[in-house]
Amino acid sequence: MNDAFELLKLNIHAVTFTIFLLGLIFGSFANVVILRLPKGESIVVPSSHCCKCKHKINWFDNIPIISWIFLLGKCRHCSSKISIRYPIIELLTGLVFVGIFLKLGYTWTTLEILIFSFCGIICSVIDLDHFILPDVFTLSGIVIGLLGSLLNPERDVTNAFLGLFMGGGFFWLVAYGYYLLKGEEGIGGGDIKLMAWIGAVFGWQVIPFVILVSSISGSLVGIILMLGSGGKGLKTIIPFGPYLFFSAILSIFIPPEVGFDYFNYFIP
Ligand SMILES: [Zn+2]
């Protein structure tokens, strides 16, 4: 009995470690997509090459995190700098994957949230770089999210549809109101689609939490950046996608009542 328990424990460690490695590999792939998708390049061919000297990167120089450390962040051929962003994104993906697995365990929802997070990391960095959330992710995310709610017995179709309309609808209203007041675009169309995507994957219950946490975290970072730039950055565009993804993923680690409490302030 004890042996079986020990074996099970060992097994869970092995699976967790495997998920971490899987996360690193997906993180490495995320780096490729982040670099190539906005330029309209294929994400399959050509194989990885140095941005500067175009030299093909050998498999042993392409191992997540480890290769970057061994190469001291420099290309083997031309010694040009390889951004520390690559290993950071790999590590982040690995840690997020492990966190989700440890929290949700062997469920279909785990698989759905893993896919969402993988796309979220890619979209967040693209949003930071280019101020866009590609439709290829947001729109297919909505479709896959709704399909998931139909196929995944742990989820409820009605919740997903309500989430889609609540999330997308709320942001659409705010965007429309802002436009009426200021005559300019405040919330991008990508953010509206992303909120609909979040609603379709996490259900309507998560929407108040996501709105609250993304606003607070976005404002905090905005204020810090503004202070850092000596108050010159008042009109700087702040990409909002990363905060929405962060809040949505954070919601699975927070009890759902937290969101409802916030809701209750407005609806006594
Ligand atoms: Zn090079």
Side-chain angles (χ1 to χ4, degrees), residues 65-75 79-82:
I65 300 177
I66 294 173
S67 291
W68 190 90
I69 296 170
F70 262 90
L71 292 167
L72 303 169
K74 284 182 188 133
C75 170
S79 295
S80 66
K81 222 174 146 242
I82 305 168

Side-chain angles (χ1 to χ4, degrees), residues 47-50 53-59 61 77:
S47 55
S48 298
H49 53 268
C50 169
C53 68
K54 308 291 174 204
H55 223 335
K56 188 177 175 293
I57 298 172
N58 283 314
W59 66 268
D61 283 341
H77 305 282

Side-chain angles (χ1 to χ4, degrees), residues 31-41 43 122 125-127 129-130 132 134 137:
N31 279 323
V32 176
V33 180
I34 288 164
L35 204 64
R36 295 187 185 181
L37 187 89
K39 291 194 237 166
E41 295 172 0
I43 50 172
I122 294 173
V125 184
I126 291 182
D127 198 14
D129 281 352
H130 305 279
I132 47 160
F137 281 102

Side-chain angles (χ1 to χ4, degrees), residues 132-152:
I132 47 160
L133 291 166
D135 277 349
V136 66
F137 281 102
T138 51
L139 294 182
S140 21
I142 292 172
V143 173
I144 293 169
L146 289 179
L147 268 178
S149 75
L150 283 164
L151 298 173
N152 179 351

